[in-house]
Amino acid sequence: MSQLTLLGTGTCQIERERRASSVLLELNGLPILFDCGHGTLQRLLEAGIRHDQLEHVVLSHFHTDHISDLLPLLQAGAWSQRDPRSTDLHIYGPPGVRRLLDGFLHLLGHDALTQPHYQIVAHELAEDSFQIGSYSFESHSLPPAGNQGLRFTWNNRRYALTGDSSFHEQEVRTLTGVDLAVIDAGHISDEEIVELAARTQVGTLVCSHLYRELDARALQERASARGYKGTILVGQDLQTFAL
């Protein structure tokens, strides 16, 4: 099974309908988490993945609403009596991810967050591409948040996830030629969403990381008037797309 699930489409705001930023990729059954904001682990369970089955987490950047469920993930792995971790946990992120994890362990204690029979492995994404198992991913720098967007190809289709981002040429280049993209729509205006769609011609543009309510129909009409041929969607928690 290969699919993409929006676990959290919200922000730092505390809302009933939306948890903070997180996307679950399942590639031939291998779960890979992109960002881990508050509420992610509960949504992960609702999507059918236990915390101890997760071995790969990719962080776009270090804003709290993208990393805050890392601590419960580590603690549950070490101390849950129902589903304790038995395999290594690999955490990928921009330079500084190793220092972040070392800080957690130093402040709270290794015994609080780890066990000796598995490892917490930090991978700093300083290069343009990286591997998770046999799968290749591209890492794209998207200002201004020190954010690393993700792009990959699966079954001859291209996908992109942006984490936090403003409207800029790097974003346009990252999304151009992509079949499905999950974008940060909370830090850009409706006009910039329309401009992104028209300039990049993304097949399906999914708006996530939402601080405000968006009118997908109005955005679609405005983008179509500028020659956009694809589809604009407003993402919802636990919405799933087949890959």
Side-chain angles (χ1 to χ4, degrees):
M1 178 181 67
S2 298
Q3 61 184 21
L4 180 156
T5 303
L6 306 177
L7 296 182
T9 56
T11 63
C12 62
Q13 297 173 162
I14 307 302
E15 302 175 284
R16 290 181 181 274
E17 299 83 6
R18 300 184 189 279
R19 304 299 181 264
S21 296
S22 185
V23 176
L24 172 66
L25 301 175
E26 294 174 85
L27 304 180
N28 282 339
L30 174 69
I32 300 170
L33 194 65
F34 179 77
D35 281 341
C36 193
H38 65 79
T40 292
L41 295 189
Q42 190 64 45
R43 288 290 195 228
L44 188 70
L45 190 61
E46 292 172 33
I49 306 293
R50 299 193 317 268
H51 69 90
D52 62 306
Q53 295 174 311
L54 182 67
E55 298 179 11
H56 302 280
V57 178
V58 182
L59 303 177
S60 63
H61 64 298
F62 304 132
H63 285 178
T64 308
D65 56 342
H66 293 257
I67 68 168
S68 56
D69 258 20
L70 273 182
L71 281 174
L73 175 63
L74 297 177
Q75 184 186 35
W79 290 102
S80 173
Q81 296 185 24
R82 180 173 298 173
D83 302 305
R85 175 168 295 281
S86 60
T87 57
D88 293 349
L89 177 63
H90 296 264
I91 301 179
Y92 310 77
V97 67
R98 184 172 291 107
R99 188 169 70 251
L100 174 74
L101 295 173
D102 286 346
F104 288 159
L105 296 173
H106 177 74
L107 180 64
L108 299 174
H110 284 257
D111 291 345
L113 301 177
T114 65
Q115 293 291 345
H117 58 275
Y118 64 84
Q119 300 293 317
I120 307 296
V121 185
H123 304 265
E124 299 203 339
L125 303 180
E127 303 297 331
D128 293 335
S129 63
F130 66 101
Q131 296 282 127
I132 295 179
S134 60
Y135 306 130
S136 297
F137 297 87
E138 301 171 23
S139 180
H140 290 250
S141 178
L142 300 174
N147 177 74
Q148 297 290 324
L150 196 69
R151 195 164 70 172
F152 65 99
T153 300
W154 187 259
N155 290 335
N156 297 316
R157 289 171 58 84
R158 300 203 97 182
Y159 299 90
L161 312 172
T162 69
D164 275 6
S165 184
S166 296
F167 180 84
H168 45 62
E169 289 303 315
Q170 293 97 316
E171 177 105 350
V172 172
R173 287 196 295 270
T174 296
L175 300 184
T176 297
V178 167
D179 294 286
L180 185 147
V182 180
I183 69 164
D184 166 16
H187 292 100
I188 59 178
S189 67
D190 288 9
E191 174 61 24
E192 288 170 329
I193 295 170
V194 169
E195 183 70 8
L196 267 180
R199 289 185 60 183
T200 65
Q201 292 296 323
V202 172
T204 301
L205 188 68
V206 183
C207 297
S208 187
H209 199 50
L210 300 169
Y211 279 97
R212 67 192 189 282
E213 292 300 317
L214 295 177
D215 186 334
R217 179 177 295 181
L219 292 170
Q220 183 73 52
E221 289 176 353
R222 290 170 59 184
S224 297
R226 296 194 189 183
Y228 178 53
K229 305 300 184 184
T231 302
I232 297 177
L233 301 176
V234 176
Q236 303 293 330
D237 285 19
L238 297 177
Q239 187 174 5
T240 297
F241 300 86
L243 301 183

